[in-house]
Amino acid sequence: RGGTGLISSGVPKPLLVPWAAKVAGKWALDNYDVIPTMGDELALKTMQNAWQKQRDDAGVQGTAVHHYAEAFMRHGEVDVEPHLAGFVQGFIEFLEKWQITPVLMERKVANRTDHYSGTFDLFATSPLLLTLEQIADGWVVQIDLKTSKSVYGETALQTAAYAKAEFYVDDDGYERPLPKVYKTFVAHVTPLDREGDNERYEGKPLGTSLYPLAESPEQIDEHYEWFKHAMATAKASAARDKLARVPLELPEEQEAF
């Protein structure tokens, strides 16, 4: 299974319910005049699904920003849709400021021993994040890009899973060993211009900000244990869903011998 799906199923998200309720309420307020023309059933269904639409719209935007970021790192230039230019320009400034040198980008990885797969964003070197000796010894840092409203500590489980994968797949489809990951980070990619996004990004720094996750290989190992716990919870949840589905029937009375 995919690593992010396992984490999503295995890590509780207590803030999701009130957020979904807030999105539903906001939709109702914004569409107050339209609701009577929709009919109760359609209005209720649309209101219930408002959070999914917002999530999916954000996912489309995030995927596009990832695409442009990768294209720039590969080619040194990229043509960007105007409404996403602030995201990409901020990311470019982040690369320059932190002296990021990409090593591997957007590669599929897998671990046959623990049965998961996924796609990491960026393995890189930086003299500001690693010592020159560590870089010379083949160490890299892993950076996961997020365009969400905020960043969360559970990303450490995701980066640890990628760091502990057994191989990545190259452009020709061959399995290759991963570099040694010394530290992991999450980069919060937000627009340089907040116009129209004041509520979504209120209080967040402009551009791309870097947040530490694991500061050493030992911490990556610890975060990987957390990932395996989440994975076990996710798999147990799938098994639990199959229980208590059909009630027993009394067996027919057996003829006595």
Side-chain angles (χ1 to χ4, degrees):
R1 289 182 62 181
T4 52
L6 290 167
I7 294 169
S8 179
S9 299
V11 177
K13 293 179 172 56
L15 298 180
L16 184 59
V17 173
W19 170 76
K22 179 181 178 181
V23 173
K26 187 175 187 305
W27 180 90
L29 292 174
D30 292 343
N31 295 274
Y32 179 79
D33 295 333
V34 180
I35 290 176
T37 68
M38 298 176 65
D40 292 348
E41 184 174 348
L42 178 58
L44 181 59
K45 184 176 181 179
T46 306
M47 192 186 310
Q48 288 175 325
N49 294 334
W51 71 272
Q52 292 176 312
K53 184 179 185 306
Q54 183 167 312
R55 178 202 61 189
D56 294 345
D57 289 347
V60 169
Q61 175 178 273
T63 299
V65 172
H66 275 72
H67 167 76
Y68 290 131
E70 180 189 4
F72 176 81
M73 288 187 288
R74 289 188 184 279
H75 308 297
E77 59 181 10
V78 63
D79 291 327
V80 183
E81 296 173 71
H83 71 286
L84 297 177
F87 287 92
V88 179
Q89 183 59 43
F91 181 72
I92 292 171
E93 293 177 3
F94 155 77
L95 293 176
E96 295 172 350
K97 180 174 65 176
W98 286 96
Q99 301 178 38
I100 302 293
T101 300
V103 174
L104 289 170
M105 295 165 284
E106 293 288 339
R107 297 290 185 177
K108 293 186 180 299
V109 297
N111 186 312
R112 290 193 177 94
T113 301
D114 290 328
H115 307 289
Y116 67 86
S117 62
T119 302
F120 65 78
D121 290 334
L122 175 63
F123 284 1
T125 59
S126 164
L128 302 181
L129 302 173
L130 292 169
T131 67
L132 294 179
E133 291 78 11
Q134 289 168 342
I135 294 174
D137 196 35
W139 290 97
V140 300
V141 297
Q142 181 186 167
I143 302 174
D144 194 74
L145 311 183
K146 298 296 185 188
T147 58
S148 50
K149 181 177 179 180
S150 300
V151 292
Y152 304 95
E154 72 179 57
T155 303
L157 283 67
Q158 183 180 352
T159 52
Y162 297 153
K164 303 296 285 188
E166 295 174 337
F167 61 88
Y168 75 90
V169 180
D170 68 13
D171 288 335
D172 297 318
Y174 292 104
E175 297 177 5
R176 304 294 185 187
L178 286 164
K180 301 179 294 184
V181 180
Y182 197 88
K183 297 179 179 181
T184 62
F185 301 86
V186 56
H188 193 202
V189 185
T190 66
L192 288 174
D193 182 2
R194 298 293 166 76
E195 185 177 353
D197 277 318
N198 289 326
E199 180 182 351
R200 180 170 171 78
Y201 294 107
E202 184 179 1
K204 306 297 189 301
L206 292 169
T208 298
S209 302
L210 191 65
Y211 295 83
L213 295 173
E215 297 281 1
S216 67
E218 291 74 23
Q219 273 199 312
I220 293 175
D221 289 342
E222 180 182 6
H223 296 170
Y224 187 61
E225 290 301 313
W226 297 353
F227 168 72
K228 288 197 289 186
H229 289 311
M231 182 165 55
T233 299
K235 292 179 177 180
S237 176
R240 290 197 307 270
D241 288 343
K242 298 177 182 179
L243 301 177
R245 290 302 179 195
V246 180
L248 287 175
E249 295 183 4
L250 284 172
E252 294 183 7
E253 186 175 348
Q254 301 295 315
E255 183 178 348
F257 290 94

